[in-house]
Amino acid sequence: MSRKTICGTLCALLMTVQFGMGQSASPDSGTAAPAPAAASNNPEDLKQLRDRIAEQEAQIKRLQQAVDEQQRLLEKSMAAGQPAASGKGQPVNGGAASNTPSSSANAANADASNIAPIKLIPVVGGTAPLVLGGGAGQHNTATPPSALSFSIGNTTFTPLGFVDATFYGRSTNVGSGIGTNFGSIPYNNSASEHLSEANFSTQNSRIGFRVDSEVLGAKVLGYFEADFLGNQAATLFVSSNADTFRMRNVFVDVQKGGFEFLGGQDWSFMTPNRKGLSPLPSDIFYTQDMDTNYQAGLVWSRQTQFRFVAHPNDNWAFGVSLENPEQYTGGANGASTATIPAAFATAASTQFNNGGGTNYTAPNVHPDIIFKGAYDGHVGDKLMHVEAAGLIRTFKFAAGMGNPVKYNSYSATAASGEVNGNFEVAKNFHLIANTFFGSGNGRYIFAQAPDVVIRADGSIAPLHSYSTVDGFEANLRKNTLLYAYYGGIYIDRAQIFDSTAAGSTLAKPVYVGYGYKGSSSNRAIQEATMGVVQTLWKNENYGALSLITQYSYLTRNPWSVATGGPTGTHTNMYWVDVRYTLP
């Protein structure tokens, strides 16, 4: 009920009380109201008059109470961005998605669903309040507006972000900063393994905004998000600590009817979703970890893409994404590098990204092609999300051989797949399972494995890799979230006899590739993680303050070690973070 309706109702009722008992005034008639009867000194008449006045006072009091109640309902409904209650329950709309801005606690990384029931988990490492379940196409739906939002015409602008003050430490000196290079934790035959590390950082602080509008009947969402984890100067931490601003996500998403299009940089379509095929960060599973490289075994990338998604109904979504390719032979993020046959080493160093700054020289044949489908539904009153995806990549390489030089080109196509699930097995308790398998896919496992190796004849052999992240997330209390994960990576070996190497014979062979005898290439990387997120206080006008803790135990094992050398290594890692999130 609107303010105008409330005021009109009050005036009409007050007029009825004032002119009741046969003395009503009629402003629409030309006849004056009858004059009041002469005063009487009869005790009975005086008693009736006093009773009538008392009755009118009681009626006025009840009316005032009703108006106050309606005003409270009105203010509550306006704050929630919904129509005022009519006295009956307002059903949650499960229809088409909307781009109405969320609160910035959500908007810092996402939006809530409008599919009932909605489950919220407090602010956690790298993400916003977690939304579990909901319809496949419902990622831009209405939630309470941020106290910082403002509108120009039919367009709403919402700032988002948070400030992190983080302490992190490791039992060995990995030397990779707040984000762990999983594939390079030191062995005990190096000094670094005998040193611990302890540091402070505010690099994971995040800032951004979202823009919501409607154009020609289509819901349009613009999204920008950045942090301070860009490439730093060598002396960064000596004096200024001037952490480098960098882009995380910049995209526009357009929805009309059951069709959705996205263009820009976002999390890869291969990154597991929590809900539907939504591009919003809180609808994407990249764990609750404070480690800015997340969890060993997580499939992820943030890269430019063009995404096309169909939403036939609220439960199903199907899409295809064309994403920025980069053929890769290892060497980034602490990963082991594939060894190239001697005759092709120079050519391969400029045609494959080997982690050494060759970003623009790789001759990518076509975009990485990703197909994905998702189902969101219920088992009884429990929410579930299931998805499957396929990845197709093509690699190409050319080299000159002989005298005179003759150039030959080689190509190979590789495919990978994933199956992921997020299941509410009990109230506020979710089991999570993500599996990834195939060949030519190492770049998507935080680049912990090469995509390919080169054979001695110049042909390309996609390397097989497998990964998983499994665990649970549980709300122990309203403001307490407990989570635990296991992540694992397994990288296959490709031992290649290099007949092009000087002095290489069958009697004295030289081997190249990955995982060959004498190399220290990683075979397995595993990580167990547990964390707690405690929301200390939260106010829709002033934001939220959270305490986040994480502990991880990480191991890695090589394919081959020198005689007497270490067969594996491990490190203990911990993070303690105080986070203020914008309202």
Side-chain angles (χ1 to χ4, degrees):
M1 184 179 293
S2 68
R3 295 177 185 267
K4 183 176 180 180
T5 304
I6 294 172
C7 293
T9 302
L10 176 60
C11 292
L13 290 173
L14 289 175
M15 288 177 66
T16 302
V17 172
Q18 180 179 352
F19 298 104
M21 305 300 294
Q23 304 298 322
S24 62
S26 177
D28 295 330
S29 69
T31 305
S40 172
N41 291 327
N42 190 313
E44 184 64 27
D45 291 341
L46 293 175
K47 182 178 182 303
Q48 292 179 0
L49 181 60
R50 285 194 296 270
D51 291 343
R52 187 179 302 172
I53 291 172
E55 181 181 353
Q56 290 177 345
E57 290 176 345
Q59 290 178 351
I60 292 172
K61 183 177 181 180
R62 288 194 296 271
L63 286 172
Q64 185 61 49
Q65 291 173 344
V67 171
D68 291 343
E69 179 63 25
Q70 288 292 334
Q71 183 67 22
R72 284 193 295 271
L73 290 173
L74 175 63
E75 292 173 351
K76 181 178 180 181
S77 298
M78 290 177 66
Q82 297 180 2
S86 62
K88 297 181 180 180
Q90 297 291 328
V92 177
N93 177 19
S98 163
N99 277 339
T100 304
S102 68
S103 68
S104 66
N106 281 351
N109 283 312
D111 291 354
S113 168
N114 65 350
I115 302 299
I118 296 175
K119 303 291 185 183
L120 296 179
I121 292 179
V123 177
V124 285
T127 72
L130 183 62
V131 182
L132 302 172
Q138 309 301 319
H139 61 76
N140 288 339
T141 54
T143 57
S146 164
L148 302 180
S149 296
F150 62 95
S151 296
I152 301 176
N154 70 341
T155 301
T156 301
F157 300 82
T158 305
L160 56 91
F162 52 79
V163 176
D164 270 356
T166 308
F167 169 80
Y168 65 93
R170 300 180 180 92
S171 61
T172 60
N173 186 20
V174 177
S176 60
I178 191 173
T180 306
N181 279 354
F182 304 116
S184 63
I185 57 174
Y187 291 106
N188 63 11
N189 57 0
S190 69
S192 296
E193 199 276 340
H194 300 277
L195 297 170
S196 62
E197 59 174 307
N199 302 277
F200 290 105
S201 176
T202 54
Q203 292 174 286
N204 194 45
S205 300
R206 199 166 301 170
I207 190 169
F209 62 90
R210 59 176 290 169
V211 181
D212 298 87
S213 190
E214 184 170 337
V215 179
L216 300 177
K219 303 295 183 180
V220 180
L221 166 67
Y223 193 91
F224 171 80
E225 182 181 273
D227 61 21
F228 300 87
L229 285 158
N231 294 326
Q232 302 103 359
T235 58
L236 173 69
F237 299 117
V238 175
S239 299
S240 68
N241 285 262
D243 296 308
T244 308
F245 193 63
R246 71 166 186 176
M247 177 177 70
R248 286 173 59 90
N249 297 317
V250 180
F251 65 82
V252 62
D253 182 85
V254 181
Q255 296 184 55
K256 188 171 185 179
F259 178 78
E260 177 182 357
F261 167 79
L262 178 144
Q265 175 160 305
D266 192 24
W267 293 87
S268 171
F269 216 26
M270 288 301 291
T271 308
N273 275 81
R274 295 183 182 276
K275 183 178 69 172
L277 299 182
S278 168
L280 290 169
S282 73
D283 296 336
I284 296 169
F285 176 82
Y286 54 100
T287 77
Q288 310 291 346
D289 290 348
M290 277 305 305
D291 190 326
T292 56
N293 290 336
Y294 312 108
Q295 183 82 16
L298 180 67
V299 176
W300 71 276
S301 177
R302 288 191 299 268
Q303 56 196 13
T304 302
Q305 59 196 269
F306 293 96
R307 185 184 299 188
F308 307 85
V309 179
H311 303 281
N313 55 47
D314 289 336
N315 300 107
W316 290 95
F318 303 93
V320 61
S321 184
L322 307 177
E323 305 195 2
N324 190 52
E326 187 71 6
Q327 49 191 41
Y328 170 67
T329 53
N333 305 327
S336 303
T337 307
T339 303
I340 309 298
F344 305 110
T346 300
S349 67
T350 61
Q351 298 179 42
F352 291 87
N353 193 322
N354 60 9
T358 55
N359 286 329
Y360 301 106
T361 61
N364 297 300
V365 180
H366 62 70
D368 291 350
I369 304 171
I370 301 172
F371 301 92
K372 193 172 186 179
Y375 172 79
D376 290 74
H378 294 78
V379 177
D381 62 344
K382 304 297 188 298
L383 300 169
M384 64 176 293
H385 168 83
V386 180
E387 64 182 32
L391 167 66
I392 298 175
R393 307 184 69 197
T394 298
F395 308 92
K396 194 168 185 177
F397 169 65
M401 297 288 289
N403 187 14
V405 176
K406 179 182 178 181
Y407 283 89
N408 294 310
S409 61
Y410 311 88
S411 63
T413 298
S416 300
E418 68 178 5
V419 179
N420 307 318
N422 191 314
F423 307 95
E424 185 183 25
V425 296
K427 185 177 180 181
N428 295 328
F429 183 91
H430 286 250
L431 284 180
I432 296 161
N434 302 295
T435 58
F436 182 58
F437 47 87
S439 61
N441 57 6
R443 183 171 73 87
Y444 281 82
I445 317 174
F446 189 52
Q448 293 301 289
D451 292 331
V452 299
V453 296
I454 306 298
R455 299 187 182 98
D457 62 359
S459 61
I460 298 173
L463 190 64
H464 290 263
S465 300
Y466 311 87
S467 77
T468 186
V469 174
D470 311 290
F472 71 86
E473 296 171 346
N475 283 99
L476 302 182
R477 295 193 300 271
K478 179 181 178 181
N479 295 320
T480 305
L481 169 67
L482 172 69
Y483 64 89
Y485 311 113
Y486 164 79
I489 300 169
Y490 178 84
I491 308 164
D492 208 352
R493 73 190 311 175
Q495 181 168 280
I496 297 168
F497 168 58
D498 185 7
S499 59
T500 72
S504 179
T505 64
L506 293 177
K508 190 178 179 181
V510 173
Y511 291 106
V512 294
Y514 188 89
Y516 56 91
K517 185 177 181 180
S519 73
S520 58
S521 304
N522 290 324
R523 173 173 56 89
I525 303 171
Q526 301 177 83
E527 181 182 13
T529 296
M530 179 172 288
V532 177
V533 182
Q534 180 65 49
T535 301
L536 304 176
W537 59 259
K538 183 176 180 180
N539 183 283
E540 62 183 15
N541 294 319
Y542 301 105
L545 185 67
S546 303
L547 177 65
I548 306 168
T549 57
Q550 176 194 340
Y551 167 77
S552 293
Y553 180 80
L554 179 70
T555 68
R556 75 178 179 107
N557 301 90
W559 271 109
S560 177
V561 296
T563 302
T567 59
T569 186
H570 69 274
T571 188
N572 296 278
M573 308 185 294
Y574 37 91
W575 290 257
V576 179
D577 179 75
V578 176
R579 170 174 297 174
Y580 167 71
T581 304
L582 291 176

